[in-house]
Amino acid sequence: MNWLAGFFGDAAHWSGPDGIPVRLLEHLEFSAAAFLIAALIAVPLGMLIGHTGRGALLVVIAANAARALPTLGLLVLVVLLAGVGTVLPVLIPLVVLAIPPILVNTYEGVRGVDADLRDAAYGMGLRGRQVLLQTLTPVALPLILLGLRLAAVQVVSTATVAAFVGLGGLGRFIIDGLATKTYADVIGGAVLVAALALAVQFAFLLLDRVAVSPGVRQIR
């Protein structure tokens, strides 16, 4: 507790280019960019595969990759190929990390909609895209949001790797603190990352309450 009080009570940590506000903003920028790219790829793809049933093998591969992906190893590989000085070494591993949970949950959500509801939508004269967007997606939304929430928390927690390639973010407190044996910075940085991950989790829970219709929530 004394280390935390020393870290958060130090005025130097709240101003300048190495201060908490700047590092937090950098962390959010890396995380948001990677999350948005992954969502733009995985949500439409998961919806399409779930609706058509084609490409389900890709979902299985993605699910297995999520368990075996060495994020730090991928970071090192991208650095060796692309070099440092850009955000690519950070964005690529984070995007690859975020795609599997979004893809798998979106696929499962759309694919798991009751077949009778799907048939009823077609019986009302709706076509393929209309059935997907107007009928299947609202029912699948809880699982889609779950996948997005899991991905967002993973990205925020893992974005600390940006510090390994000389970029900013909250990971700088951890890496620099370990290098200088300033353990108050290490603990303070870890607490900030954990608090940010919890904030993201809470934000998605609120979004679930707002976006999911009461009828779907009651069935779930």
mmCIF file of all heavy atoms in Angstrom, residues 25-26 34 40 75 79 95 110 117 146 152 209:
data_model
loop_
_atom_site.group_PDB
_atom_site.id
_atom_site.type_symbol
_atom_site.label_atom_id
_atom_site.label_comp_id
_atom_site.label_asym_id
_atom_site.label_seq_id
_atom_site.Cartn_x
_atom_site.Cartn_y
_atom_site.Cartn_z
ATOM 1 N N LEU A 25 -3.744 7.684 -22.262
ATOM 2 C CA LEU A 25 -4.260 8.010 -23.593
ATOM 3 C C LEU A 25 -3.571 7.170 -24.663
ATOM 4 O O LEU A 25 -4.231 6.667 -25.589
ATOM 5 C CB LEU A 25 -4.066 9.499 -23.878
ATOM 6 C CG LEU A 25 -4.597 10.008 -25.221
ATOM 7 C CD1 LEU A 25 -6.095 9.766 -25.331
ATOM 8 C CD2 LEU A 25 -4.288 11.492 -25.389
ATOM 9 N N GLU A 26 -2.253 7.001 -24.563
ATOM 10 C CA GLU A 26 -1.529 6.159 -25.520
ATOM 11 C C GLU A 26 -2.050 4.721 -25.472
ATOM 12 O O GLU A 26 -2.253 4.086 -26.507
ATOM 13 C CB GLU A 26 -0.033 6.187 -25.210
ATOM 14 C CG GLU A 26 0.637 7.520 -25.462
ATOM 15 C CD GLU A 26 2.051 7.575 -24.920
ATOM 16 O OE1 GLU A 26 2.411 6.718 -24.073
ATOM 17 O OE2 GLU A 26 2.800 8.482 -25.330
ATOM 18 N N ALA A 34 -6.642 -1.432 -32.335
ATOM 19 C CA ALA A 34 -6.599 -2.878 -32.546
ATOM 20 C C ALA A 34 -7.992 -3.484 -32.418
ATOM 21 O O ALA A 34 -8.387 -4.346 -33.214
ATOM 22 C CB ALA A 34 -5.646 -3.519 -31.541
ATOM 23 N N LEU A 40 -14.103 -5.003 -37.052
ATOM 24 C CA LEU A 40 -14.511 -4.802 -38.442
ATOM 25 C C LEU A 40 -14.242 -6.044 -39.294
ATOM 26 O O LEU A 40 -14.924 -6.282 -40.297
ATOM 27 C CB LEU A 40 -13.777 -3.595 -39.031
ATOM 28 C CG LEU A 40 -14.234 -2.224 -38.501
ATOM 29 C CD1 LEU A 40 -13.324 -1.119 -39.039
ATOM 30 C CD2 LEU A 40 -15.679 -1.953 -38.881
ATOM 31 N N LEU A 75 4.840 -10.567 -31.441
ATOM 32 C CA LEU A 75 5.358 -9.201 -31.404
ATOM 33 C C LEU A 75 6.816 -9.164 -31.852
ATOM 34 O O LEU A 75 7.213 -8.331 -32.673
ATOM 35 C CB LEU A 75 5.229 -8.639 -29.991
ATOM 36 C CG LEU A 75 5.870 -7.276 -29.735
ATOM 37 C CD1 LEU A 75 5.100 -6.181 -30.450
ATOM 38 C CD2 LEU A 75 5.938 -6.979 -28.242
ATOM 39 N N VAL A 79 8.393 -7.354 -35.205
ATOM 40 C CA VAL A 79 9.499 -6.388 -35.072
ATOM 41 C C VAL A 79 10.647 -6.767 -35.990
ATOM 42 O O VAL A 79 11.253 -5.917 -36.654
ATOM 43 C CB VAL A 79 9.966 -6.312 -33.606
ATOM 44 C CG1 VAL A 79 11.287 -5.549 -33.507
ATOM 45 C CG2 VAL A 79 8.914 -5.632 -32.750
ATOM 46 N N VAL A 95 -4.520 -7.325 -32.845
ATOM 47 C CA VAL A 95 -5.629 -7.649 -33.737
ATOM 48 C C VAL A 95 -5.798 -9.166 -33.844
ATOM 49 O O VAL A 95 -6.914 -9.694 -33.766
ATOM 50 C CB VAL A 95 -5.402 -7.026 -35.131
ATOM 51 C CG1 VAL A 95 -6.407 -7.581 -36.142
ATOM 52 C CG2 VAL A 95 -5.516 -5.508 -35.068
ATOM 53 N N VAL A 110 -25.168 -16.251 -34.089
ATOM 54 C CA VAL A 110 -26.033 -16.292 -35.273
ATOM 55 C C VAL A 110 -26.456 -17.724 -35.580
ATOM 56 O O VAL A 110 -27.630 -17.985 -35.882
ATOM 57 C CB VAL A 110 -25.299 -15.664 -36.482
ATOM 58 C CG1 VAL A 110 -26.125 -15.835 -37.759
ATOM 59 C CG2 VAL A 110 -25.020 -14.187 -36.233
ATOM 60 N N LEU A 117 -37.515 -19.651 -35.808
ATOM 61 C CA LEU A 117 -37.520 -18.201 -35.985
ATOM 62 C C LEU A 117 -36.953 -17.825 -37.345
ATOM 63 O O LEU A 117 -37.474 -16.943 -38.035
ATOM 64 C CB LEU A 117 -36.700 -17.542 -34.874
ATOM 65 C CG LEU A 117 -36.645 -16.021 -34.877
ATOM 66 C CD1 LEU A 117 -38.039 -15.431 -34.715
ATOM 67 C CD2 LEU A 117 -35.724 -15.526 -33.771
ATOM 68 N N LEU A 146 -20.717 -10.365 -25.991
ATOM 69 C CA LEU A 146 -19.811 -11.125 -25.125
ATOM 70 C C LEU A 146 -18.449 -11.284 -25.792
ATOM 71 O O LEU A 146 -17.407 -11.099 -25.156
ATOM 72 C CB LEU A 146 -20.414 -12.490 -24.799
ATOM 73 C CG LEU A 146 -19.503 -13.448 -24.030
ATOM 74 C CD1 LEU A 146 -19.130 -12.872 -22.680
ATOM 75 C CD2 LEU A 146 -20.177 -14.813 -23.872
ATOM 76 N N ALA A 152 -12.051 -7.009 -26.026
ATOM 77 C CA ALA A 152 -11.641 -5.696 -25.541
ATOM 78 C C ALA A 152 -10.815 -5.812 -24.262
ATOM 79 O O ALA A 152 -9.785 -5.139 -24.112
ATOM 80 C CB ALA A 152 -12.871 -4.820 -25.302
ATOM 81 N N ARG A 209 -26.924 -4.042 -21.346
ATOM 82 C CA ARG A 209 -28.213 -3.676 -20.760
ATOM 83 C C ARG A 209 -29.002 -2.736 -21.673
ATOM 84 O O ARG A 209 -30.225 -2.808 -21.735
ATOM 85 C CB ARG A 209 -27.986 -2.985 -19.411
ATOM 86 C CG ARG A 209 -27.347 -3.870 -18.355
ATOM 87 C CD ARG A 209 -28.281 -4.884 -17.797
ATOM 88 N NE ARG A 209 -29.414 -4.277 -17.115
ATOM 89 C CZ ARG A 209 -30.398 -4.956 -16.543
ATOM 90 N NH1 ARG A 209 -30.400 -6.280 -16.608
ATOM 91 N NH2 ARG A 209 -31.386 -4.343 -15.927
#
